[in-house]
Amino acid sequence: MTTLVNWRWDIFCAVIDNFGDIGICWRLSRQLATEHTIAVKLWVDDLASFAKICPQLDTNLAVQQLAGVTICLWSTTTDWQKNAVADVVIEALACTIPMPYQQLMAAQSVKPLWLNLEYLSAESWVEGCHALPSPQPHLALDKYFYFPGFTSATGGLLQEQGLRQLAEQFIANADLQHKFWCELGITNSINYQQKISLFAYDHPKIDSLLQYWQHSDRSILCLVPEGVLAQQLLSLYPALAASGDITLGALRLKVLPFMAQDNYDKLLWACDVNFVRGEDSIIRAHWAAKPFIWQIYRQAEQAHLDKLKAFMQRYCEKMSENMAEIVQEFWLAWNTTADLADSWQVFSALLPQIAEHNLKWHTELTLNGDLASNLVHFAEKKFIIRHNFS
């Protein structure tokens, strides 16, 4: 008799841009392998981008094993006939599984469970669509929509076992933090009264915020991970291009190279405020439970603002009316073309209360279970139904 732990899972990931897609898929794959002892094969179409967040990856190998996961290069020349179809197949984040593989799935006597892992959204319609089947018109297969989310009526968020304990241990240990900062080339971290991680897309008014920080009455260390915003800052401040590290009044700006995911988690834990973008980093900001600001992935015709407002409504629901208004004003400024200095001044005055709120928010989200475990439980139920077990 086959049991779930004997099953193979194939996860397909197309690295579109900005690394959030491969970030999600890599975390999910590792968690399924390590916490649920599932044989996971991660199909990725761009190993070079993947390697930026996973330095151990060998971009010259079409097949390799890391952290208990088999990583395979997915290309136009892949011979799918030589690859056995998995029992659970995940089509992640709007990618499309190659048609030859779909045809192999349809040809199986016992059809695999096909899951469309969707993008994260707080919009109300998600709950009604979560876990629904979608019959495929061209093949004798059903594909199930699976939505990460912020309520128990969704799949929850990725969160590894013991993550909160690791965060608490790191935050409580000054020596661990000092060692981490030194590894980033910052030997005097204790001298800065406020530490900010600034991972973002470009912003037309970013200089207004940086000017405000330069004239702050407290010393600020701002860490800018490599990416679109870092490139914008290099253009704004030519001196930054020379060393990637400049001091402007009360503000020290430092550009960081891409780092492994575990180190990025530490960056969020070590900072007082975290600007995050896209999907993977916002989820990690939730678990860091520090004040954060989300720059949602931009879409045509400002469609992303509807998604942002849906999240803000849920996130701010238990805040006071005044606090919710202030938080939403700065978040909207950060996601549009508005000037940033004035709204930051008001927002930053509430950072202690926001930090307190985020600890409660963290607890609420944890009650929904974690995405990997919820996926496994969903697959177990479908397995039982298909095989008529009681």
Side-chain angles (χ1 to χ4, degrees), residues 17-18 119-123 150 199-203 274-283 286 292-312 330-336:
D17 60 5
N18 299 317
Y119 284 106
L120 177 64
S121 177
E123 293 172 291
F150 303 97
F199 185 43
Y201 310 113
D202 58 326
H203 194 290
N274 294 308
F275 288 76
V276 289
R277 71 179 204 191
E279 185 154 330
D280 182 54
S281 59
I282 180 59
I283 294 171
H286 288 310
F292 61 85
I293 302 94
W294 185 20
Q295 192 178 33
I296 196 166
Y297 186 74
R298 297 167 184 159
Q299 293 179 298
E301 299 179 357
Q302 304 292 304
H304 59 290
L305 293 182
D306 290 335
K307 295 182 179 180
L308 179 68
K309 290 173 183 177
F311 173 75
M312 290 193 302
F330 183 71
W331 277 43
L332 284 172
W334 187 239
N335 282 275
T336 57

Side-chain angles (χ1 to χ4, degrees), residues 104-112:
L104 289 173
M105 287 197 292
Q108 304 302 304
S109 56
V110 178
K111 302 294 188 289

